[in-house]
């Protein structure tokens, strides 16, 4: 029995040190890259002596100021990993060839792994647009939820997410409307987080907006009507959606706010919800 225990212990120790070794290399490389980023921040602005005088009218000497601080994230973008385990996602994010990462990964059991300092630019958003912002990686924090893409999110995972969001919102004064999903910023290209994601619960906690559910009466009538001249595509654009592909924009809106069906058409009820939401965003 004792021998068995010893073998198990040795085995566990071996696994732990092996995991440590495999991350040591990537952590070392990470620190090296952080130093390069620091170098970019520490560089003194150029003066006339350093540039071609014909190309830029610039002062002879550098004049500094002490009135500054570091730039802050202003959006949070939520994803599902479309993978089967936290370990699989972490492996993906530690392989240089994948060129993808996120600041936080949250497991099904609620474990939070922070891989990047909030001030660094993670590669999670890819090509995307929200309003006029086309570089969401520079402006946002990326959070990946371990989920295969077709399953509900566990209570523990959402509880952890809410704690992370609370910290981020207060640290960086992120506006309530700026908690959005990957599908919101990349219509037709991304569908995460999947329609099981509890956006309504998040909005009730102050992260993201939701429509007034009281606008629908039990008899199928509603307390407000969509005006005849209401243009749903303009409304989607004002909310932030990239409307270059109108059908894809409608589908992204439905993944987030309708969730029961996510096709690319707007029913009377969908239009009512869109109209109600658009008034909150405009
Ligand atoms: Zn994503």
């Amino acid at each position: 029995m004792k021998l068995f225990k010893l073998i198990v212990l040795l085995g566990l120790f071996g696994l732990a040190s092996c995991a440590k070794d495999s991350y040591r290399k990537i952590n070392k490389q990470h620190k090296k890259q952080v130093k390069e980023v620091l170098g970019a921040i520490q560089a003194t602005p150029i003066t006339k002596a350093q540039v071609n005088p014909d190309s830029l009218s610039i002062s002879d000497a550098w004049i500094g100021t002490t009135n500054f601080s570091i730039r802050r994230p202003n959006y949070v973008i939520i994803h599902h990993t479309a993978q089967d385990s936290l370990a699989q996602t972490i492996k993906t994010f530690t392989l240089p060839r994948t060129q993808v990462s996120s600041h936080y990964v949250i497991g099904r059991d609620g474990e939070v792994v922070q891989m990047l300092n909030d001030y660094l630019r993670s590669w999670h958003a890819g090509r995307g647009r929200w309003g006029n912002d086309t570089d969401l990686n520079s402006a946002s924090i990326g959070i990946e939820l371990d989920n295969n893409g077709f399953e509900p999110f566990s209570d523990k995972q959402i509880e952890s997410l809410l704690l992370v969001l609370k910290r981020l919102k207060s640290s960086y004064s992120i506006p309530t409307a700026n908690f959005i999903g990957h599908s919101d910023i990349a219509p037709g290209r991304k569908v995460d987080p999947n329609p099981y994601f509890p956006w309504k619960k998040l909005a009730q906690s102050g992260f993201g907006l939701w429509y007034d559910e009281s606008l629908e009466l039990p008899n199928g009538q509603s307390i407000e009507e969509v005006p005849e001249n209401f243009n749903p595509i303009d409304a989607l654009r004002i909310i932030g959606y990239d409307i270059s592909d109108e059908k894809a924009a409608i589908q992204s809106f439905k993944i987030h706010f309708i969730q029961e069906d996510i096709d690319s058409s707007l029913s009377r009820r969908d239009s009512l919800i869109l109209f109600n939401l658009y008034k909150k965003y405009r």
Side-chain angles (χ1 to χ4, degrees):
M1 191 63 178
K2 271 188 179 168
L3 182 65
F4 175 72
K5 264 190 184 165
L6 185 66
I7 290 168
V8 169
L9 274 174
L10 282 174
L12 284 175
F13 180 75
L15 276 177
S17 63
C18 181
K20 224 173 152 188
D21 276 350
S22 64
Y23 296 138
R24 191 179 293 150
K25 199 173 153 205
I26 193 83
N27 285 357
K28 205 175 153 194
Q29 182 61 28
H30 172 108
K31 284 184 180 166
K32 197 177 151 216
Q33 279 177 230
V34 169
K35 274 190 190 148
E36 285 167 21
V37 171
L38 274 177
I41 292 176
Q42 286 171 336
T44 307
I46 50 168
T47 57
K48 198 174 223 169
Q50 295 161 287
V51 289
N52 176 353
D54 296 336
S55 67
L56 187 63
S57 174
I58 197 162
S59 60
D60 289 332
W62 169 58
I63 306 158
T65 171
T66 55
N67 306 335
F68 71 91
S69 56
I70 197 159
R71 291 171 197 240
R72 296 183 305 196
N74 200 39
Y75 290 89
V76 171
I77 296 174
I78 296 167
H79 305 253
H80 69 219
T81 57
Q83 296 203 322
D84 293 319
S85 70
L86 188 66
Q88 196 187 357
T89 301
I90 287 172
K91 180 154 191 231
T92 304
F93 289 171
T94 51
L95 291 173
R97 66 176 152 81
T98 64
Q99 299 279 287
V100 288
S101 63
S102 72
H103 294 89
Y104 298 87
V105 188
I106 305 181
R108 290 167 166 83
D109 61 356
E111 185 186 354
V112 178
V113 179
Q114 182 172 7
M115 301 188 77
L116 286 174
N117 183 310
D118 293 342
Y119 291 109
L120 290 174
R121 182 176 182 273
S122 155
W123 298 343
H124 63 96
R127 251 182 319 110
R129 182 184 189 111
W130 189 247
N132 283 330
D133 197 329
T134 54
D135 182 11
L136 273 307
N137 277 338
S138 285
S140 69
I141 296 281
I143 302 180
E144 288 274 0
L145 302 175
D146 185 29
N147 180 290
N148 68 12
F150 304 97
E151 60 186 334
F153 298 83
S154 74
D155 289 345
K156 280 188 174 170
Q157 194 174 34
I158 298 303
E159 273 167 34
S160 290
L161 172 66
L162 289 172
L163 289 173
V164 172
L165 295 182
K166 193 176 164 199
R167 217 179 64 193
L168 294 173
K169 189 178 183 186
S170 72
S171 298
Y172 308 118
S173 307
I174 298 174
T176 301
N178 290 2
F179 292 79
I180 51 179
H182 200 185
S183 60
D184 291 315
I185 64 154
R189 197 172 73 80
K190 292 289 172 183
V191 292
D192 61 309
N194 76 47
Y196 287 110
F197 187 73
W199 284 114
K200 181 182 159 186
K201 186 174 181 172
L202 258 70
Q204 285 168 340
S205 307
F207 312 114
L209 298 183
W210 197 248
Y211 56 92
D212 301 318
E213 295 202 335
S214 60
L215 69 97
E216 288 180 284
L217 298 174
N219 61 5
Q221 300 288 311
S222 57
I223 55 168
E224 67 180 358
E225 286 302 321
V226 177
E228 257 178 42
N229 62 355
F230 176 61
N231 182 330
I233 301 303
D234 278 350
L236 288 169
R237 181 179 54 75
I238 287 162
I239 289 173
Y241 288 99
D242 175 0
I243 54 157
S244 53
D245 179 341
E246 295 181 3
K247 283 194 157 141
I250 291 171
Q251 191 180 33
S252 278
F253 163 76
K254 289 181 76 167
I255 290 171
H256 187 136
F257 293 104
I258 306 297
Q259 300 193 311
E260 292 146 25
D261 80 272
I262 53 166
D263 62 19
S264 54
S265 64
L266 287 171
S267 69
R268 191 191 146 273
R269 178 175 177 266
D270 299 342
S271 297
L272 187 64
I273 288 170
L274 176 57
F275 176 61
N276 184 264
L277 272 167
Y278 137 85
K279 286 188 294 178
K280 295 178 192 291
Y281 278 90
R282 72 183 169 178

